């Protein structure tokens, strides 16, 4: 039996996954957590084979939670679960020890395939996510005004910062968590070698990125 923990703050998602897996007799959902605190508490006394991890949670960024889970648990297979098909998030998640990435509009067959593959020691990316990663890597070799290539989401964030929106407003507009907004902001500052949002926007204007 393969035991599964679902970490997601949307009941429709957890209930949907439970329905998808109900006829798979070798799979058992042993826990549900709607935030990072509940997930960590569950994992103190349990070690599920599969963890379905939402990247956007109300109390912690999913990437940070992935780090925390990996620090405590070396053996569970972590599958990122999100609606954000963003290459930078995908690659960061894998770098932090996740075993794969699924989009929330997945089909049942894709979810089962993902579980089977990661249990077999392989990395799984949904077809759409894999295309996004390949697209990102293909653009790495090209520089824009002498600067590293930016992802679509990073460009969106930069434009919204230029329009004067703050973190919570950007999160609401892009349907992502405030933690994810801050992750993108930090990535932008690192890529463009700036130390503040003001410097970031100044450089973006100079290089005609906004």
């Amino acid at each position: 039996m393969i035991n599964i923990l679902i970490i997601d703050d949307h009941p429709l998602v957890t209930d949907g996954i439970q329905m998808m897996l109900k006829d798979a007799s070798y799979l058992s959902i042993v826990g549900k957590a709607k935030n990072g605190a509940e997930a960590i508490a569950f994992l103190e006394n349990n070690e599920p084979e599969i963890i379905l991890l939402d990247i956007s949670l109300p109390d912690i960024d999913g990437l940070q939670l992935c780090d925390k889970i990996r620090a405590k648990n070396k053996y569970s297979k972590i599958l990122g679960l999100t609606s954000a098909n963003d290459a930078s998030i995908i690659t960061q998640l894998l770098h932090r020890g996740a075993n794969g990435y699924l989009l929330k509009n997945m089909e049942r067959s894709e979810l089962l395939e993902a579980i089977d593959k990661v249990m077999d020691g392989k990395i799984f990316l949904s077809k759409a996510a894999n295309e996004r990663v390949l697209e990102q890597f293909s653009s790495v070799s090209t520089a824009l005004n002498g600067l590293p290539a930016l992802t679509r989401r990073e460009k969106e964030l930069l434009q919204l910062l230029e329009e004067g929106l703050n973190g919570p407003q950007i999160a609401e507009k892009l349907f992502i968590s405030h933690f994810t907004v801050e992750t993108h902001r930090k990535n932008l500052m690192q890529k463009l070698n700036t130390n503040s949002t003001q410097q970031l926007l100044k450089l973006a204007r100079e290089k005609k990125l906004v």
Side-chain angles (χ1 to χ4, degrees), residues 158-167 169-170 201:
L158 200 54
Q159 184 59 48
L160 293 175
L161 287 171
E162 172 66 11
E163 292 172 11
L165 275 66
N166 60 29
Q169 291 170 329
I170 294 173
L201 291 175

Side-chain angles (χ1 to χ4, degrees), residues 141-205:
S141 61
T142 63
L144 180 60
N145 294 327
L147 298 171
L150 305 182
T151 67
R152 175 184 58 83
R153 184 66 87 190
E154 287 168 347
K155 292 175 184 176
E156 290 174 345
L157 180 68
L158 200 54
Q159 184 59 48
L160 293 175
L161 287 171
E162 172 66 11
E163 292 172 11
L165 275 66
N166 60 29
Q169 291 170 329
I170 294 173
E172 182 177 359
K173 191 172 184 67
L174 297 181
F175 302 102
I176 58 179
S177 74
H178 179 56
F179 294 104
T180 302
V181 170
E182 289 307 306
T183 297
H184 285 308
R185 191 203 304 262
K186 289 175 183 176
N187 288 342
L188 276 168
M189 289 193 292
Q190 183 176 15
K191 279 187 176 183
L192 303 183
N193 195 27
T194 57
N195 297 315
S196 68
T197 301
Q198 289 74 21
Q199 289 181 9
L200 177 65
L201 291 175
K202 182 176 183 293
L203 180 61
R205 295 183 195 111

Side-chain angles (χ1 to χ4, degrees), residues 10-11 16-17 38 47 51 54 60 77 82 87 95 144 146 165 172 182 208:
H10 296 96
I17 292 173
E38 288 186 3
E47 192 168 346
I51 298 174
D54 185 8
I60 187 172
K77 307 296 185 181
T82 181
H95 180 71
L144 180 60
L165 275 66
E172 182 177 359
E182 289 307 306
K208 303 187 185 304

Side-chain angles (χ1 to χ4, degrees), residues 53-72:
L53 171 61
D54 185 8
I55 303 305
S56 180
L57 293 167
D59 62 339
I60 187 172
D61 181 82
L63 296 172
Q64 295 174 328
L65 183 55
C66 187
D67 282 338
K68 289 179 179 293
I69 292 172
R70 267 294 167 254
K72 291 177 173 290

Side-chain angles (χ1 to χ4, degrees), residues 16-27 29 108 112:
I17 292 173
Q18 194 162 20
M19 286 294 295
M20 284 183 181
L21 301 181
K22 70 174 185 177
D23 293 329
S25 58
Y26 64 101
L27 301 175
I29 297 174
R108 178 179 184 272
L112 292 174

